[in-house]
Amino acid sequence: MRTHFEPEQSNEFEAAKELFIRRCSVWAGEQQLTVDPFILDAALDFRHYSVDGRLGFWTVDLVRAFLLDWIPRQVSVSADDAADIPDMLLTMLRYLHHTALDDPTGDALPDIETAIAATAGDTFRQAMSDERNFGIAKFWAMRAITSGIDPTDEVAMRRFADSARAGRVEHDDAILNDIVTRHLRGDGGPPARACSQLPVSLPPEHELAAMAEDNRLVRQLRALTDWVGAGRALTATGQLKLVDARELIELLGTGDTVDPVVGGRVWRTKSSTELAGLILVVEWAKKLRLIRVVKNRLVRVAKSQPLLRASLALWTAAFNTFNELADAVVQPRVYGHAPGMLHDVFDEAVPDVLNTIYGMPAPVPVKRLAESVWLSCQAAFGLDDEDEDEDESQQSIWRQTVEADLRRMLRILAEAGGVEQAIGPADPMFLEDLSGSDGSDGLDGCDDLDANDFAASLQSISTGLPPDARERLRAALAPDAGPVETVALSHLGTHAVRVRLLAEGRYMPLVGELTDTDPARLLGMIAQHYTPETGREEILRWLAAHGGEEAGLDSLLDAVRSCSFRHRAAAMLDALCTAQPDRTALLQRLRSDAALGSIAVQFLVEDEELDPDSLTERESLLAVTEQLIQLLEIAGPDAVRESFAQASSSDMRDLFGALLGSGHPDATGLDELRRLVVEPLQHRGNRRPARKRPSRSVRSVRPKR
């Protein structure tokens, strides 16, 4: 089964929950453990409605959040009735581990077991008993239960609600006010789901540290901090003295010119504030708390020494503080004038632009970024391309000014070593999603990443681009339009963005981080979160670390064979075969494999490497059985039963007899097919005969990756 679904994939998620709860409950019974399907459902909802949505990803902090925050807020049961919930959560997490559905980037099971043991008992009981932890609905539900009312009795609950509105139900007003205030602030609600990110490849950390050690910005920050020393006096207005500024320009290499000569005339520099490059470095150091102003003196911050010594940490902190430097990068907006529009959205635009560039397989055209940033500015200032109050030429000037500020921002980041700028042809992928006219530009979705469609991974800074913006982009990025300015993150920039997004709770796959993972979890992660290219690289790294291709490949195939879920096994095998030099050769080798043959045949037919009419009777029967078991897993029993809606009883009897006796290797799947599909259909009575039998051809049930 899949362990990650986008928010809009509610049907798929519900089917996966049903499958998981059914299988976990059976396993728990075999282990003589007690588990409540309601708690399993709650735990899966807790992870699905989260920033990253990974059902198998659990940490000590997430366990504590679920038991001490989510359950007390959401589940309307008394502390006594909830006493077994920590143990039930542990049972679920052990089942995740047993089936290799747990995310290997989460905390180890022994650490989680320790955390649950520490949370259970008095700590959990206290959290469940404290009304201040309740949500509004639970607060009143528990009041009703305390009053002896069954919350499932609609009539009684309506009478109770009337009494509560009339003020006849005893409660603590202060606690209720706190709950309502928290609710209105949005505290405790489900976080917004973040868009999925493509895996990235990075050099080892020691190489990144060496890059940071040689980085221009790192050298400037260290040199400035050393120069400040015990303290430097500022002017009466709190600025660097001009004499000090002259010294620092040379020391830091900021590129500023004092008393520049323009048109044969010397323009006297009257203040250090005119030296943009120097001021940027000084303000950057202030934001990082390397230096600060005390009594009109610039002084070093003593606690900054550990950061100054760690080059990679210093670089990362500096890069991720850039969005706080609007005043030093772009001009503030003057009312009624265009300059500085980007200034007002700078703190949001910078991370959004960098998030958009992150992980892209080709440099992004700056024009593409500029249109989305302009859209953000329009939204921030309540503008509209068709606004009658502003003529078209004025908006065009404003848009061009925003683009100029964006280019300055990117130039500064390039000088700092965070991005790489180039001039060249735009990759065709940046034109592929601009052909429509519905205002959807491909930058606004959070759909599951399609391994064969990198354009689907583009993220918006705002919403869909309007038709005129799409027309401008089609013209600017056309193959015959000539070279364009492009931008990509450097290795250091990619590292810094990844660190920031990880801190926000995002899942940021990194090629190589699964090298020490066992085969089942390796392939499970690759099948769901990697592209063919990054999946191939991850598998090659794993093979190199585990005895080479021959021995390692057998281990990976064994992991697929032992997978408890056929749809997941198919996705794992698909990822593994795609990573091989000859996908078809491996599938042909597996055609006679007892455990994987039916999946291999399915893929060979889909790849048009095998004619369905050439299948043996046994292969065809196994293939149909495989399809139905996978359909049962991904869509549920109703979907399978519906596929036989027009079949006669005799046809179904013959077919089901053949399917259940096919010898398919998935005994669990066959048993579920019998209990959940065959037996209910046999009890429904005769339907109008349909003479057409299900096709022998192998239809696609290819797992989504």
Side-chain angles (χ1 to χ4, degrees):
M1 61 172 283
R2 288 168 57 194
T3 56
H4 182 267
F5 301 87
E6 295 300 336
E8 64 273 14
Q9 295 177 317
S10 57
N11 291 338
E12 294 91 334
F13 171 58
E14 291 300 325
K17 272 202 304 185
E18 181 182 349
L19 171 66
F20 180 87
I21 292 171
R22 183 170 70 239
R23 297 278 184 94
C24 183
S25 298
V26 171
W27 178 83
E30 294 171 348
Q31 308 300 312
Q32 296 184 331
L33 299 171
T34 301
V35 70
D36 186 341
F38 175 79
I39 299 304
L40 297 179
D41 187 281
L44 294 174
D45 278 352
F46 169 72
R47 290 301 299 127
H48 176 66
Y49 298 105
S50 66
V51 171
D52 63 303
R54 289 179 288 163
L55 307 182
F57 180 77
W58 286 85
T59 64
V60 168
D61 288 342
L62 286 172
V63 163
R64 290 183 58 83
F66 177 68
L67 293 177
L68 302 182
D69 180 30
W70 201 91
I71 288 290
R73 186 176 67 252
Q74 300 280 358
V75 180
S76 299
V77 296
S78 67
D80 289 338
D81 291 336
D84 291 337
I85 289 180
D87 288 337
M88 293 180 185
L89 175 64
L90 181 56
T91 296
M92 188 197 82
L93 297 180
R94 286 174 173 165
Y95 178 70
L96 282 171
H97 183 77
H98 171 72
T99 52
L101 292 176
D102 55 328
D103 194 311
T105 62
D107 288 344
L109 183 59
D111 295 334
I112 290 179
E113 289 175 336
T114 301
I116 292 177
T119 303
D122 292 342
T123 303
F124 180 63
R125 175 180 290 275
Q126 182 177 354
M128 288 297 296
S129 302
D130 191 342
E131 288 187 325
R132 291 170 295 185
N133 295 330
F134 296 176
I136 294 177
K138 179 177 177 178
F139 178 86
W140 289 114
M142 294 307 295
R143 290 282 94 199
I145 292 172
T146 303
S147 302
I149 297 172
D150 181 355
T152 63
D153 186 336
E154 295 183 5
V155 175
M157 284 300 293
R158 280 199 296 270
R159 288 198 298 265
F160 174 80
D162 292 339
S163 297
R165 282 190 288 268
R168 295 193 298 270
V169 177
E170 289 189 14
H171 64 275
D172 189 317
D173 282 334
I175 290 178
L176 181 59
N177 288 337
D178 287 344
I179 293 173
V180 171
T181 300
R182 185 180 66 209
H183 175 77
L184 293 176
R185 288 200 308 259
D187 297 350
R193 173 71 70 84
C195 291
S196 301
Q197 288 285 1
L198 291 168
V200 297
S201 296
L202 284 174
E205 189 161 317
H206 70 273
E207 293 185 20
L208 290 171
M211 295 176 190
E213 187 70 29
D214 193 44
N215 179 264
R216 175 175 179 260
L217 177 59
V218 168
R219 295 197 305 269
Q220 288 177 326
L221 293 170
R222 284 173 170 168
L224 173 61
T225 307
D226 288 342
W227 177 86
V228 169
R232 298 278 182 164
L234 301 174
T235 67
T237 58
Q239 305 300 326
L240 284 171
K241 294 180 178 180
L242 201 51
V243 63
D244 289 339
R246 291 176 184 271
E247 180 183 350
L248 280 174
I249 286 173
E250 296 299 322
L251 176 65
L252 305 181
T254 62
D256 295 300
T257 301
V258 178
D259 300 335
V261 177
V262 181
R265 176 183 172 184
V266 177
W267 295 83
R268 296 295 179 187
T269 302
K270 299 179 181 179
S271 168
S272 63
T273 58
E274 300 173 33
L275 308 171
L278 174 59
I279 295 304
L280 175 63
V281 177
V282 172
E283 291 304 312
W284 221 327
K286 288 180 181 178
K287 292 295 183 184
L288 288 168
R289 298 292 294 166
L290 303 177
I291 59 177
R292 62 191 180 106
V293 177
V294 178
K295 297 181 179 179
N296 215 39
R297 288 177 61 83
L298 204 58
V299 300
R300 295 175 60 170
V301 176
K303 294 182 179 179
S304 67
Q305 289 307 303
L307 181 61
L308 282 166
R309 288 193 294 267
S311 55
L312 184 57
L314 177 58
W315 151 258
T316 302
F319 191 78
N320 288 334
T321 310
F322 182 74
N323 66 309
E324 301 177 26
L325 296 171
D327 291 343
V329 176
V330 292
Q331 296 179 358
R333 181 174 183 266
V334 179
Y335 182 75
H337 297 277
M341 290 181 74
L342 182 57
H343 179 279
D344 284 25
V345 298
F346 194 80
D347 61 333
E348 295 181 0
V350 169
D352 283 342
V353 166
L354 297 176
N355 292 356
T356 300
I357 302 172
Y358 181 92
M360 294 302 298
V364 181
V366 173
K367 281 283 188 182
R368 185 91 197 220
L369 297 172
E371 291 290 356
S372 290
V373 173
W374 167 240
L375 201 63
S376 293
C377 290
Q378 286 181 294
F381 291 97
L383 301 178
D384 191 301
D385 278 338
E386 300 177 358
D387 195 330
E388 297 179 358
D389 295 334
E390 305 292 349
D391 61 42
E392 185 175 339
S393 61
Q394 179 65 72
Q395 289 228 11
S396 178
I397 293 173
W398 288 6
R399 177 171 48 79
Q400 292 171 31
T401 305
V402 168
E403 182 173 338
D405 280 343
L406 172 66
R407 292 178 185 276
R408 169 173 166 76
M409 179 189 100
L410 294 173
R411 176 179 60 78
I412 291 173
L413 288 174
E415 292 172 351
V419 303
E420 297 170 348
Q421 295 178 298
I423 302 294
D427 191 284
M429 63 180 284
F430 295 106
L431 267 175
E432 290 176 359
D433 59 338
L434 296 173
S435 57
S437 59
D438 60 354
S440 173
D441 72 331
L443 295 175
D444 57 346
C446 287
D447 293 338
D448 271 353
L449 299 177
D450 185 336
N452 298 308
D453 185 8
F454 284 108
S457 68
L458 286 167
Q459 298 175 20
S460 70
I461 292 174
S462 185
T463 54
L465 294 174
D468 63 321
R470 298 160 70 82
E471 183 178 348
R472 287 192 296 268
L473 285 173
R474 284 194 292 268
L477 304 181
D480 58 354
V484 297
E485 185 178 351
T486 62
V487 63
L489 286 174
S490 67
H491 286 318
L492 284 175
T494 299
H495 167 78
V497 173
R498 182 171 183 270
V499 167
R500 170 173 56 80
L501 294 176
L502 282 172
E504 295 174 5
R506 304 276 294 270
Y507 173 49
M508 309 300 296
L510 176 66
V511 174
E513 68 179 346
L514 302 178
T515 300
D516 296 328
T517 302
D518 66 275
R521 291 169 179 81
L522 169 79
L523 292 176
M525 294 292 287
I526 290 174
Q528 289 194 115
H529 301 293
Y530 281 59
T531 67
E533 290 75 16
T534 54
R536 182 178 299 111
E537 184 179 352
E538 188 75 72
I539 288 174
L540 288 175
R541 291 193 187 196
W542 190 93
L543 289 171
H546 293 81
E549 182 173 352
E550 186 172 348
L553 182 58
D554 287 340
S555 296
L556 294 174
L557 287 171
D558 284 341
V560 182
R561 293 185 182 101
S562 63
C563 181
S564 303
F565 302 89
R566 293 301 285 185
H567 185 254
R568 187 177 184 86
M572 292 163 62
L573 184 61
D574 189 27
L576 178 57
C577 291
T578 301
Q580 300 306 302
D582 191 337
R583 170 185 171 92
T584 301
L586 179 56
L587 288 173
Q588 288 286 8
R589 168 187 154 190
L590 295 173
R591 183 175 175 180
S592 60
D593 188 277
L596 302 178
S598 56
I599 300 176
V601 166
Q602 173 186 328
F603 287 163
L604 285 168
V605 171
E606 291 176 12
D607 295 347
E608 298 185 348
E609 298 290 344
L610 187 62
D611 185 346
D613 291 334
S614 69
L615 300 182
T616 67
E617 190 69 28
R618 174 173 170 73
E619 283 180 325
S620 181
L621 181 60
L622 285 172
V624 173
T625 308
E626 180 70 40
Q627 290 179 9
L628 292 175
I629 291 175
Q630 288 193 38
L631 182 61
L632 177 60
E633 289 183 355
I634 64 177
D638 288 345
V640 184
R641 290 194 292 265
E642 182 63 26
S643 66
F644 294 100
Q646 301 303 315
S648 69
S649 297
S650 60
D651 282 346
M652 287 191 297
R653 185 169 52 253
D654 293 344
L655 176 60
F656 291 156
L659 294 176
L660 297 179
S662 65
H664 191 281
D666 184 7
T668 300
L670 284 175
D671 181 63
E672 289 185 335
L673 195 62
R674 175 185 58 79
R675 290 187 298 104
L676 303 176
V677 177
V678 175
E679 292 179 356
L681 284 176
Q682 289 175 338
H683 286 95
R684 76 179 184 180
N686 291 329
R687 292 282 183 93
R688 181 179 178 181
R691 308 315 303 172
K692 186 177 179 181
R693 291 176 180 266
S695 172
R696 291 178 67 248
S697 65
V698 182
R699 295 167 293 169
S700 173
V701 193
R702 182 175 295 264
K704 185 173 183 181
R705 292 185 52 201

